Amino acid sequence: MTAVLDVLNAQLRRLPSWAVYSVGALPVLWLAYLTVRGQLGPDPAKVMERELGLWALRFLLASLAVTPLRRLGLNLMKHRRALGLLCFIYAALHLTIWLWPDMGLRWPQIWADLVQRPYILFGMVGFLCLMPLAVTSSNAAIRWMGAGAWRRLHRLAYPALALAVLHFVTLSRIWTVELLIYAALAVLLLVLRMPIPLNRRARREG
């Protein structure tokens, strides 16, 4: 098993980042194709909005899974930034579809929905959590902020994930199998990533 992981990790290290971005662009290109072909049903904006949001959630889950997978021997660290930026891009497209084709940039109605519909508020706050992460995703930002401050800022990914799951759960109002899987993965990732400082403290106190 170790030999297989070593070979796989070597291949992953050789995989260029542009390849990850290229594969990550396929869902939105496919949605655009279906839109042009008129195959997204009577309300294509709603379908695109939901699918883009789900892909943002999937990429966020994937980016947060990198560290736990590394502990198991699978090293995707080189591509974590690409996964995080793909999450932000899909979240931004999801928001754009809602603001423009869906809501028609009717700002009074948009603001009213933010107050009246909790799932919209959850989604908007989650997107605001992602914005500083995208802005500071470069090596230059890490050098400018310092590694410690950068890591603390990027813990915003945790509330972003929780808010993204809440966004879809409150939007759907029913627990589908798909939502249950996403929620379970989110809880698992948060549990795997968050207790480490507590364990270290316990060892120091022991």
Side-chain angles (χ1 to χ4, degrees), residues 7 15 56 66 79 88 93 103:
V7 172
L15 182 69
V66 169
H79 306 296
F88 177 77
L93 290 171
M103 298 299 294

Short mmCIF file of all heavy atoms in Angstrom, two decimals, residues 7 15 56 66 79 88 93 103:
data_model
loop_
_atom_site.label_atom_id
_atom_site.label_comp_id
_atom_site.label_asym_id
_atom_site.label_seq_id
_atom_site.Cartn_x
_atom_site.Cartn_y
_atom_site.Cartn_z
N VAL A 7 3.92 6.03 -5.48
CA VAL A 7 3.80 6.22 -6.93
C VAL A 7 2.72 7.25 -7.25
O VAL A 7 2.92 8.15 -8.08
CB VAL A 7 3.48 4.88 -7.63
CG1 VAL A 7 3.17 5.11 -9.10
CG2 VAL A 7 4.63 3.91 -7.46
N LEU A 15 1.72 16.55 -11.68
CA LEU A 15 0.53 17.09 -12.33
C LEU A 15 0.53 18.61 -12.24
O LEU A 15 0.56 19.17 -11.16
CB LEU A 15 -0.74 16.53 -11.66
CG LEU A 15 -2.07 16.96 -12.26
CD1 LEU A 15 -2.26 16.32 -13.64
CD2 LEU A 15 -3.22 16.57 -11.33
N ALA A 56 -19.42 24.53 -6.06
CA ALA A 56 -18.63 25.30 -5.10
C ALA A 56 -18.48 24.54 -3.79
O ALA A 56 -17.39 24.46 -3.20
CB ALA A 56 -19.29 26.66 -4.84
N VAL A 66 -7.85 17.87 1.94
CA VAL A 66 -6.44 17.66 1.58
C VAL A 66 -5.61 17.29 2.81
O VAL A 66 -4.80 16.35 2.77
CB VAL A 66 -5.87 18.92 0.90
CG1 VAL A 66 -4.35 18.83 0.77
CG2 VAL A 66 -6.50 19.09 -0.48
N HIS A 79 -2.11 20.94 -4.86
CA HIS A 79 -3.31 21.33 -5.58
C HIS A 79 -4.40 21.90 -4.67
O HIS A 79 -5.50 22.17 -5.14
CB HIS A 79 -3.86 20.13 -6.35
CG HIS A 79 -2.84 19.51 -7.26
ND1 HIS A 79 -2.28 20.19 -8.33
CD2 HIS A 79 -2.23 18.29 -7.23
CE1 HIS A 79 -1.41 19.41 -8.93
NE2 HIS A 79 -1.34 18.26 -8.29
N PHE A 88 -14.11 29.16 -4.91
CA PHE A 88 -14.49 30.57 -4.91
C PHE A 88 -15.08 30.98 -6.26
O PHE A 88 -16.09 31.71 -6.32
CB PHE A 88 -13.29 31.45 -4.58
CG PHE A 88 -13.60 32.92 -4.63
CD1 PHE A 88 -14.30 33.51 -3.59
CD2 PHE A 88 -13.22 33.68 -5.72
CE1 PHE A 88 -14.61 34.87 -3.64
CE2 PHE A 88 -13.52 35.04 -5.77
CZ PHE A 88 -14.22 35.63 -4.73
N LEU A 93 -19.80 32.58 -9.38
CA LEU A 93 -20.72 32.37 -10.50
C LEU A 93 -22.14 32.06 -9.99
O LEU A 93 -23.13 32.55 -10.56
CB LEU A 93 -20.22 31.22 -11.37
CG LEU A 93 -18.95 31.50 -12.17
CD1 LEU A 93 -18.44 30.21 -12.83
CD2 LEU A 93 -19.19 32.57 -13.23
N MET A 103 -32.64 37.21 -10.23
CA MET A 103 -33.28 38.35 -9.58
C MET A 103 -33.35 39.59 -10.48
O MET A 103 -34.01 40.57 -10.13
CB MET A 103 -32.53 38.69 -8.30
CG MET A 103 -32.52 37.59 -7.26
SD MET A 103 -34.19 37.14 -6.70
CE MET A 103 -34.69 38.64 -5.86
#
